[in-house]
Amino acid sequence: MQHGPAVRRRKLGAELRALRTSAGLTSGEAARLVGWHQSKVSRIETGASGVKPADVRLLLDAYRVADANLRELLLVLAGSDESGGRHHWWHAYRGVLPPTYRDFISLESQASAMRTLETSVVPGLLQTPEYARAVTRAAVDGLDDERLDALVEVRLARQDILRAQPPLELSAVLDEAVLRREVGGPEVMARQLKRLLEAARLPQVRLQVLPFTAGAHVGITGPFVIFSFSHTSDLDVVVLDHLTSSLYLERKEDLQAYTEAFNTLRIHALSPEDSLDYLAVMGDGA
């Protein structure tokens, strides 16, 4: 398991190596095209060293990569503040967001699909403002009002990805404990359940409830997120969130294990249709 930046470097390097190979170039030939020493290309491709967005552009031009979406994704992995002319809104919050959270948001913003198991709280992309405030205040100790407001703003701004064109495809399995835990009080939870019901009806959202009656299950060890990217599965990554950091799993065997775990959870969870009914009944009783 690695922290985000190391994973991103290796994934970026592997993708650049694949693009160079597809272009029919050796590393030495690629280096000559951009005016570098061959060792620099090798270090970039193995993830041994970081690479500037400007250098990524040079390589992509040399490899004749015309796919605008793929170029943008690789530039984001290189840490570009701005790619394809689009400003990345979260950079306005650099002072309040830890690097691991910025990493998570940048991946989320470029992913085509997100699969998540939540065992404690509603996924950030589906939280109401009041719920987000209550969760953030509980999770981060000693927050002043200004910093709390900023973190809630970030949480809500992230939700725009569900309204983008094309939108992020979100598939979420929620343990029943998520719905039973009274975050922020009864009124906050009533509005949150209504929000979940509305979200579950969106075509880009697949929401399933994992009831207590399912018993022990493969996700009992904790929540996780799987990001998928439409242009290359080699960039798919699993994210495990911890109190002070996030860990990223990138090996194919890890991705396969978590994908199989998620598929198993979906089987044991209520169907999307039954989950809608379940949420409606809970909302009526809230």
Side-chain angles (χ1 to χ4, degrees):
M1 292 187 291
Q2 299 288 335
H3 291 286
V7 170
R8 285 151 61 102
R9 280 202 310 271
R10 278 202 303 278
K11 286 185 173 295
L12 175 59
E15 188 63 21
L16 290 172
R17 182 171 61 249
L19 291 170
R20 172 180 59 76
T21 301
S22 296
L25 298 171
T26 66
S27 59
E29 290 168 338
R32 284 193 293 275
L33 280 174
V34 295
W36 299 344
H37 192 279
Q38 180 181 357
S39 62
K40 180 172 180 177
V41 174
S42 297
R43 288 197 305 272
I44 289 172
E45 290 185 351
T46 58
S49 65
V51 55
K52 297 177 182 177
D55 289 343
V56 171
R57 289 190 184 92
L58 282 176
L59 291 174
L60 294 177
D61 290 342
Y63 304 158
R64 300 178 184 272
V65 178
D67 186 325
N69 290 319
L70 179 57
R71 289 177 69 99
E72 182 175 356
L73 173 57
L74 297 181
L75 286 166
V76 168
L77 288 177
S80 176
D81 285 355
E82 169 274 319
S83 57
R86 190 178 74 186
H87 177 64
H88 289 159
W89 58 266
W90 59 89
H91 289 289
Y93 296 90
R94 275 185 176 275
V96 296
L97 299 181
T100 51
Y101 193 14
R102 295 200 302 268
D103 260 355
F104 183 91
I105 296 173
S106 69
L107 289 174
E108 181 181 74
S109 72
Q110 294 299 316
S112 58
M114 174 179 172
R115 288 164 286 177
T116 181
L117 165 70
E118 288 293 349
T119 58
S120 298
V121 297
V122 170
L125 294 181
L126 304 179
Q127 292 178 5
T128 65
E130 299 88 352
Y131 186 98
R133 179 173 293 274
V135 166
T136 304
R137 190 184 292 279
V140 186
D141 220 12
L143 277 180
D144 58 45
D145 289 342
E146 184 178 357
R147 185 175 169 85
L148 176 62
D149 289 344
L151 289 173
V152 172
E153 285 177 18
V154 169
R155 183 68 54 91
L156 300 178
R158 284 173 49 204
Q159 298 176 4
D160 287 344
I161 197 70
L162 292 175
R163 296 182 287 272
Q165 291 300 324
L168 176 78
E169 298 287 336
L170 174 63
S171 182
V173 173
L174 307 186
D175 191 279
E176 185 177 344
V178 172
L179 309 177
R180 298 289 180 185
R181 180 169 288 104
E182 197 172 270
V183 174
E187 292 184 3
V188 170
M189 279 308 298
R191 287 192 289 271
Q192 181 60 70
L193 288 170
K194 182 180 178 182
R195 168 72 180 117
L196 284 175
L197 195 58
E198 293 169 350
R201 295 191 175 108
L202 296 173
Q204 67 271 33
V205 175
R206 180 188 177 99
L207 194 151
Q208 292 180 256
V209 175
L210 187 63
F212 288 147
T213 53
H217 53 76
V218 68
I220 207 164
T221 55
F224 59 85
V225 172
I226 307 172
F227 284 126
S228 298
F229 300 87
S230 58
H231 301 285
T232 170
S233 62
D234 289 340
L235 294 175
D236 291 0
V237 64
V238 176
V239 185
L240 306 178
D241 224 8
H242 295 268
L243 183 61
T244 57
S245 65
S246 296
L247 294 175
Y248 295 69
L249 289 78
E250 58 172 330
R251 297 184 309 166
K252 288 185 177 179
E253 50 266 44
D254 292 326
L255 285 163
Q256 181 178 351
Y258 277 87
T259 297
E260 290 175 355
F262 190 78
N263 291 339
T264 299
L265 289 166
R266 284 179 54 182
I267 291 170
H268 290 291
L270 301 177
S271 70
E273 296 76 20
D274 288 343
S275 295
L276 267 172
D277 295 339
Y278 186 93
L279 286 168
V281 170
M282 282 200 72
D284 288 341

